[in-house]
Amino acid sequence: MLLQVSRGKKSFGADVVFSDIQFEIKGNEKIALIGRNGCGKSTLLKILSGQEELDEGQIIKQSNIQIGYLSQTAISDENSTVYEELLRAYSDILNLQDQIEEITRRMAAEYSERDLDLYASLQHSFEEMGGYEYQTELKTVFFKFGFKEEDLNRRISEFSGGQRTKIAFVRLLLNKPDVLLLDEPTNHLDLNTIEWLEGYIKHYPKAVVLVSHDRMFLDDTCEVVFEIERGKMTRYKGNYTQYMDFK
């Protein structure tokens, strides 16, 4: 189990949004969070991300779990280029790359068995982390959101608000958090990007929790449904159509 909400309750003033709910995320589950407008779906995502707190109940998380939520993926510096911003998703890889380059320079000046062993270890870690593929991955995801090669060198401040949101979305996907929280991810995306995103989510190696009014999108991506209805939560196994058939 990655994360669990136990006997959760949330109110706004006298209005109880939900109470005594049980919610959990296991493995690499793709979860649809559904219910009528105002039932608390987006509120629950904010609670899972740490933006909001439960009034009652508790959240149990696996240690060192990384949770990614689009509204929390802030642009670090709007004067930086898009490429500089997206590279921040690969800070661990870039740090390893710097270490490898430093050892390479050291070994060129003076041979050392210790440095040679360290070099081999760092190279192995670099390869395991996708050090030889990250440039391709960065560009692939960025271009799938409708951007062009020349956009990588433009400053973020030059883009519209909607485009900046897309850039933040790209950054979030490149970060690859253990739990990816997506609230209406298909808004403002064209059909080709939506189809690509469906495939990306289906093959995402970690967990995803989705809120979306696009029922076809939920059908094509999710395998578990949690419904909030009249302040209570129920779990159903299967996609959206299977949930509807069961109901």
Side-chain angles (χ1 to χ4, degrees):
M1 183 196 68
L2 289 174
L3 183 152
Q4 182 183 63
V5 177
S6 178
R7 308 199 69 175
K9 178 180 179 180
K10 184 65 178 177
S11 304
F12 292 105
D15 181 21
V16 177
V17 182
F18 50 72
S19 63
D20 201 30
I21 66 166
Q22 297 290 132
F23 176 79
E24 64 179 10
I25 305 169
K26 296 181 289 186
N28 64 345
E29 285 183 329
K30 309 301 182 285
I31 298 170
L33 190 57
I34 67 170
R36 294 182 178 179
N37 289 342
C39 73
K41 302 185 296 293
S42 295
T43 298
L44 181 57
L45 289 189
K46 291 177 181 177
I47 289 169
L48 297 178
S49 70
Q51 279 191 319
E52 298 270 359
E53 293 184 357
L54 289 170
D55 296 328
E56 295 179 13
Q58 62 178 330
I59 298 177
I60 305 164
K61 299 179 185 178
Q62 199 174 87
S63 61
N64 300 320
I65 189 174
Q66 293 183 333
I67 298 175
Y69 184 46
L70 183 57
S71 69
Q72 289 185 318
T73 310
I75 300 297
S76 303
D77 179 6
E78 294 193 348
N79 289 318
S80 64
T81 66
V82 173
Y83 185 65
E84 289 169 339
E85 178 64 28
L86 297 184
L87 274 183
R88 292 187 172 96
Y90 299 102
S91 57
D92 290 343
I93 290 177
L94 295 175
N95 182 47
L96 270 180
Q97 189 171 290
D98 288 343
Q99 293 180 58
I100 291 169
E101 290 173 357
E102 172 61 27
I103 291 176
T104 301
R105 286 192 294 269
R106 216 157 60 204
M107 290 195 302
E110 183 179 355
Y111 177 80
S112 161
E113 284 286 347
R114 181 181 175 183
D115 280 347
L116 186 61
D117 290 343
L118 181 56
Y119 177 84
S121 174
L122 291 174
Q123 279 282 13
H124 177 73
S125 298
F126 186 75
E127 186 174 351
E128 288 284 303
M129 292 171 66
Y132 295 108
E133 295 88 33
Y134 78 90
Q135 293 275 4
T136 301
E137 180 184 57
L138 183 154
K139 291 182 180 181
T140 297
V141 178
F142 186 62
F143 297 160
K144 288 297 183 180
F145 275 75
F147 295 102
K148 298 178 181 178
E149 179 92 34
E150 54 266 30
D151 290 329
L152 284 168
N153 295 317
R154 292 174 60 191
R155 297 195 182 280
I156 292 172
S157 57
E158 298 175 26
F159 292 89
S160 68
Q163 288 174 316
R164 291 183 206 182
T165 299
K166 285 185 179 181
I167 292 169
F169 198 169
V170 172
R171 164 82 184 274
L172 175 62
L173 296 182
L174 295 178
N175 279 339
K176 300 187 190 71
D178 299 309
V179 179
L180 185 58
L181 306 176
L182 299 177
D183 194 349
E184 299 294 348
T186 60
N187 281 1
H188 314 300
L189 300 182
D190 61 33
L191 183 59
N192 288 336
T193 305
I194 291 172
E195 290 177 350
W196 174 83
L197 186 60
E198 284 179 1
Y200 185 92
I201 290 172
K202 279 192 287 190
H203 296 100
Y204 189 67
K206 302 174 184 180
V208 181
V209 182
L210 278 168
V211 171
S212 177
H213 286 94
D214 188 335
R215 296 180 177 183
M216 186 177 296
F217 186 78
L218 294 179
D219 242 0
D220 291 339
T221 54
C222 294
E223 58 197 2
V224 177
V225 172
F226 277 89
E227 180 191 40
I228 302 176
E229 186 177 37
R230 299 185 182 91
K232 304 299 179 183
M233 176 170 271
T234 308
R235 181 184 188 274
Y236 299 88
K237 181 67 176 175
N239 63 14
Y240 188 84
T241 295
Q242 290 166 324
Y243 150 78
M244 288 298 293
D245 290 342
F246 186 86
K247 289 285 284 187

Short mmCIF file of all heavy atoms in Angstrom, two decimals, residues 166-197:
data_model
loop_
_atom_site.label_atom_id
_atom_site.label_comp_id
_atom_site.label_asym_id
_atom_site.label_seq_id
_atom_site.Cartn_x
_atom_site.Cartn_y
_atom_site.Cartn_z
N LYS A 166 0.67 24.04 -19.49
CA LYS A 166 1.11 22.84 -20.22
C LYS A 166 2.58 22.52 -19.93
O LYS A 166 2.96 21.36 -19.79
CB LYS A 166 0.91 23.04 -21.73
CG LYS A 166 -0.53 22.94 -22.20
CD LYS A 166 -0.59 23.02 -23.71
CE LYS A 166 -2.01 22.91 -24.23
NZ LYS A 166 -2.07 22.97 -25.71
N ILE A 167 3.40 23.56 -19.84
CA ILE A 167 4.82 23.36 -19.53
C ILE A 167 4.96 22.74 -18.14
O ILE A 167 5.76 21.82 -17.93
CB ILE A 167 5.60 24.69 -19.63
CG1 ILE A 167 5.65 25.15 -21.09
CG2 ILE A 167 7.02 24.54 -19.08
CD1 ILE A 167 6.15 26.57 -21.27
N ALA A 168 4.16 23.24 -17.18
CA ALA A 168 4.18 22.67 -15.83
C ALA A 168 3.71 21.22 -15.85
O ALA A 168 4.23 20.37 -15.10
CB ALA A 168 3.29 23.50 -14.90
N PHE A 169 2.74 20.91 -16.71
CA PHE A 169 2.24 19.54 -16.86
C PHE A 169 3.36 18.64 -17.39
O PHE A 169 3.59 17.53 -16.89
CB PHE A 169 1.04 19.53 -17.81
CG PHE A 169 0.18 18.30 -17.74
CD1 PHE A 169 -1.06 18.27 -18.38
CD2 PHE A 169 0.58 17.17 -17.03
CE1 PHE A 169 -1.87 17.15 -18.31
CE2 PHE A 169 -0.23 16.05 -16.96
CZ PHE A 169 -1.46 16.04 -17.61
N VAL A 170 4.08 19.11 -18.41
CA VAL A 170 5.21 18.35 -18.95
C VAL A 170 6.24 18.09 -17.85
O VAL A 170 6.72 16.96 -17.68
CB VAL A 170 5.87 19.10 -20.13
CG1 VAL A 170 7.16 18.40 -20.56
CG2 VAL A 170 4.90 19.19 -21.31
N ARG A 171 6.56 19.14 -17.10
CA ARG A 171 7.53 19.00 -16.00
C ARG A 171 7.07 17.95 -15.00
O ARG A 171 7.85 17.13 -14.50
CB ARG A 171 7.71 20.36 -15.33
CG ARG A 171 8.37 20.34 -13.97
CD ARG A 171 9.87 20.28 -14.01
NE ARG A 171 10.42 20.17 -12.67
CZ ARG A 171 10.68 21.20 -11.87
NH1 ARG A 171 10.47 22.44 -12.29
NH2 ARG A 171 11.17 21.00 -10.67
N LEU A 172 5.77 17.95 -14.67
CA LEU A 172 5.21 16.98 -13.73
C LEU A 172 5.39 15.56 -14.24
O LEU A 172 5.80 14.66 -13.50
CB LEU A 172 3.73 17.28 -13.48
CG LEU A 172 2.97 16.28 -12.60
CD1 LEU A 172 3.56 16.25 -11.19
CD2 LEU A 172 1.48 16.64 -12.54
N LEU A 173 5.08 15.33 -15.51
CA LEU A 173 5.21 13.98 -16.08
C LEU A 173 6.67 13.53 -16.09
O LEU A 173 6.97 12.36 -15.84
CB LEU A 173 4.63 13.95 -17.50
CG LEU A 173 3.12 14.21 -17.63
CD1 LEU A 173 2.69 14.09 -19.08
CD2 LEU A 173 2.32 13.24 -16.76
N LEU A 174 7.58 14.46 -16.39
CA LEU A 174 9.00 14.11 -16.43
C LEU A 174 9.54 13.81 -15.03
O LEU A 174 10.50 13.05 -14.88
CB LEU A 174 9.81 15.25 -17.06
CG LEU A 174 9.52 15.54 -18.54
CD1 LEU A 174 10.36 16.72 -19.02
CD2 LEU A 174 9.77 14.32 -19.42
N ASN A 175 8.92 14.39 -14.00
CA ASN A 175 9.35 14.13 -12.62
C ASN A 175 9.06 12.69 -12.18
O ASN A 175 9.71 12.18 -11.28
CB ASN A 175 8.64 15.08 -11.65
CG ASN A 175 9.29 16.45 -11.61
OD1 ASN A 175 10.44 16.61 -11.96
ND2 ASN A 175 8.53 17.44 -11.17
N LYS A 176 8.04 12.07 -12.79
CA LYS A 176 7.65 10.68 -12.50
C LYS A 176 7.44 10.41 -11.00
O LYS A 176 8.13 9.58 -10.41
CB LYS A 176 8.68 9.69 -13.05
CG LYS A 176 8.90 9.77 -14.55
CD LYS A 176 9.82 8.65 -15.00
CE LYS A 176 10.25 8.82 -16.43
NZ LYS A 176 11.19 9.95 -16.60
N PRO A 177 6.50 11.11 -10.36
CA PRO A 177 6.25 10.86 -8.93
C PRO A 177 5.66 9.47 -8.71
O PRO A 177 5.11 8.86 -9.63
CB PRO A 177 5.25 11.95 -8.56
CG PRO A 177 4.55 12.27 -9.85
CD PRO A 177 5.59 12.12 -10.91
N ASP A 178 5.74 8.97 -7.46
CA ASP A 178 5.18 7.66 -7.13
C ASP A 178 3.67 7.64 -7.26
O ASP A 178 3.07 6.62 -7.59
CB ASP A 178 5.57 7.28 -5.70
CG ASP A 178 7.07 7.19 -5.51
OD1 ASP A 178 7.73 6.50 -6.31
OD2 ASP A 178 7.59 7.82 -4.58
N VAL A 179 3.05 8.78 -6.96
CA VAL A 179 1.60 8.93 -7.14
C VAL A 179 1.36 10.20 -7.94
O VAL A 179 1.74 11.30 -7.52
CB VAL A 179 0.87 9.03 -5.78
CG1 VAL A 179 -0.64 9.21 -6.01
CG2 VAL A 179 1.12 7.79 -4.93
N LEU A 180 0.73 10.05 -9.09
CA LEU A 180 0.45 11.17 -9.99
C LEU A 180 -1.02 11.54 -9.83
O LEU A 180 -1.91 10.73 -10.12
CB LEU A 180 0.77 10.74 -11.42
CG LEU A 180 0.67 11.77 -12.55
CD1 LEU A 180 1.58 12.95 -12.30
CD2 LEU A 180 1.00 11.10 -13.88
N LEU A 181 -1.30 12.76 -9.35
CA LEU A 181 -2.67 13.24 -9.15
C LEU A 181 -3.04 14.18 -10.29
O LEU A 181 -2.39 15.21 -10.47
CB LEU A 181 -2.79 13.97 -7.81
CG LEU A 181 -2.32 13.22 -6.55
CD1 LEU A 181 -2.41 14.14 -5.33
CD2 LEU A 181 -3.13 11.95 -6.33
N LEU A 182 -4.08 13.83 -11.04
CA LEU A 182 -4.46 14.63 -12.20
C LEU A 182 -5.93 15.04 -12.10
O LEU A 182 -6.82 14.19 -12.06
CB LEU A 182 -4.24 13.83 -13.49
CG LEU A 182 -2.79 13.40 -13.78
CD1 LEU A 182 -2.73 12.55 -15.06
CD2 LEU A 182 -1.88 14.60 -13.90
N ASP A 183 -6.17 16.34 -12.08
CA ASP A 183 -7.53 16.89 -11.99
C ASP A 183 -7.89 17.49 -13.35
O ASP A 183 -7.35 18.51 -13.76
CB ASP A 183 -7.56 17.96 -10.90
CG ASP A 183 -8.99 18.33 -10.50
OD1 ASP A 183 -9.93 17.91 -11.20
OD2 ASP A 183 -9.16 19.04 -9.49
N GLU A 184 -8.82 16.84 -14.05
CA GLU A 184 -9.25 17.23 -15.39
C GLU A 184 -8.04 17.45 -16.32
O GLU A 184 -7.86 18.53 -16.89
CB GLU A 184 -10.10 18.52 -15.33
CG GLU A 184 -11.37 18.39 -14.52
CD GLU A 184 -12.38 17.41 -15.13
OE1 GLU A 184 -12.20 17.00 -16.31
OE2 GLU A 184 -13.33 17.03 -14.44
N PRO A 185 -7.23 16.42 -16.51
CA PRO A 185 -5.99 16.58 -17.29
C PRO A 185 -6.22 16.83 -18.78
O PRO A 185 -5.31 17.32 -19.46
CB PRO A 185 -5.26 15.25 -17.08
CG PRO A 185 -6.36 14.27 -16.81
CD PRO A 185 -7.38 15.03 -16.02
N THR A 186 -7.40 16.50 -19.30
CA THR A 186 -7.64 16.66 -20.74
C THR A 186 -8.13 18.06 -21.11
O THR A 186 -8.27 18.36 -22.29
CB THR A 186 -8.66 15.61 -21.25
OG1 THR A 186 -9.90 15.79 -20.56
CG2 THR A 186 -8.15 14.21 -21.01
N ASN A 187 -8.39 18.90 -20.10
CA ASN A 187 -8.82 20.27 -20.40
C ASN A 187 -7.78 20.98 -21.26
O ASN A 187 -6.59 20.96 -20.95
CB ASN A 187 -9.04 21.06 -19.11
CG ASN A 187 -10.37 20.73 -18.45
OD1 ASN A 187 -11.13 19.90 -18.94
ND2 ASN A 187 -10.64 21.35 -17.32
N HIS A 188 -8.24 21.61 -22.33
CA HIS A 188 -7.41 22.44 -23.21
C HIS A 188 -6.37 21.63 -24.01
O HIS A 188 -5.43 22.21 -24.56
CB HIS A 188 -6.68 23.53 -22.40
CG HIS A 188 -7.56 24.27 -21.45
ND1 HIS A 188 -8.67 24.97 -21.86
CD2 HIS A 188 -7.52 24.40 -20.09
CE1 HIS A 188 -9.27 25.50 -20.80
NE2 HIS A 188 -8.59 25.16 -19.73
N LEU A 189 -6.55 20.30 -24.06
CA LEU A 189 -5.66 19.48 -24.88
C LEU A 189 -6.39 19.07 -26.15
O LEU A 189 -7.58 18.80 -26.14
CB LEU A 189 -5.21 18.22 -24.13
CG LEU A 189 -4.44 18.42 -22.82
CD1 LEU A 189 -4.04 17.06 -22.25
CD2 LEU A 189 -3.21 19.30 -23.02
N ASP A 190 -5.66 19.01 -27.28
CA ASP A 190 -6.28 18.55 -28.52
C ASP A 190 -6.38 17.03 -28.52
O ASP A 190 -5.83 16.34 -27.66
CB ASP A 190 -5.52 19.07 -29.75
CG ASP A 190 -4.08 18.57 -29.81
OD1 ASP A 190 -3.80 17.45 -29.36
OD2 ASP A 190 -3.22 19.32 -30.32
N LEU A 191 -7.09 16.48 -29.50
CA LEU A 191 -7.39 15.05 -29.55
C LEU A 191 -6.12 14.21 -29.60
O LEU A 191 -6.01 13.19 -28.90
CB LEU A 191 -8.28 14.73 -30.75
CG LEU A 191 -8.74 13.28 -30.88
CD1 LEU A 191 -9.52 12.84 -29.65
CD2 LEU A 191 -9.60 13.10 -32.14
N ASN A 192 -5.14 14.62 -30.41
CA ASN A 192 -3.91 13.85 -30.52
C ASN A 192 -3.17 13.77 -29.19
O ASN A 192 -2.64 12.72 -28.81
CB ASN A 192 -2.99 14.45 -31.59
CG ASN A 192 -3.50 14.21 -32.99
OD1 ASN A 192 -4.26 13.27 -33.23
ND2 ASN A 192 -3.12 15.06 -33.93
N THR A 193 -3.14 14.90 -28.47
CA THR A 193 -2.45 14.92 -27.17
C THR A 193 -3.20 14.06 -26.15
O THR A 193 -2.59 13.35 -25.35
CB THR A 193 -2.32 16.36 -26.65
OG1 THR A 193 -1.67 17.16 -27.63
CG2 THR A 193 -1.51 16.40 -25.36
N ILE A 194 -4.54 14.11 -26.20
CA ILE A 194 -5.35 13.29 -25.29
C ILE A 194 -5.09 11.81 -25.54
O ILE A 194 -4.91 11.03 -24.60
CB ILE A 194 -6.85 13.62 -25.44
CG1 ILE A 194 -7.14 15.03 -24.90
CG2 ILE A 194 -7.71 12.59 -24.70
CD1 ILE A 194 -8.54 15.52 -25.19
N GLU A 195 -5.05 11.41 -26.81
CA GLU A 195 -4.79 10.01 -27.14
C GLU A 195 -3.40 9.59 -26.67
O GLU A 195 -3.21 8.48 -26.15
CB GLU A 195 -4.94 9.79 -28.64
CG GLU A 195 -6.38 9.88 -29.12
CD GLU A 195 -6.51 9.74 -30.62
OE1 GLU A 195 -5.46 9.78 -31.32
OE2 GLU A 195 -7.64 9.60 -31.11
N TRP A 196 -2.41 10.48 -26.84
CA TRP A 196 -1.07 10.16 -26.36
C TRP A 196 -1.05 10.04 -24.85
O TRP A 196 -0.43 9.13 -24.29
CB TRP A 196 -0.08 11.25 -26.81
CG TRP A 196 1.28 11.05 -26.22
CD1 TRP A 196 2.27 10.24 -26.69
CD2 TRP A 196 1.77 11.64 -25.01
NE1 TRP A 196 3.35 10.30 -25.84
CE2 TRP A 196 3.07 11.14 -24.81
CE3 TRP A 196 1.24 12.54 -24.08
CZ2 TRP A 196 3.86 11.52 -23.71
CZ3 TRP A 196 2.01 12.91 -22.98
CH2 TRP A 196 3.31 12.39 -22.82
N LEU A 197 -1.76 10.95 -24.15
CA LEU A 197 -1.79 10.94 -22.69
C LEU A 197 -2.45 9.67 -22.17
O LEU A 197 -2.02 9.12 -21.14
CB LEU A 197 -2.52 12.18 -22.18
CG LEU A 197 -2.52 12.40 -20.66
CD1 LEU A 197 -1.10 12.53 -20.13
CD2 LEU A 197 -3.33 13.64 -20.32
#
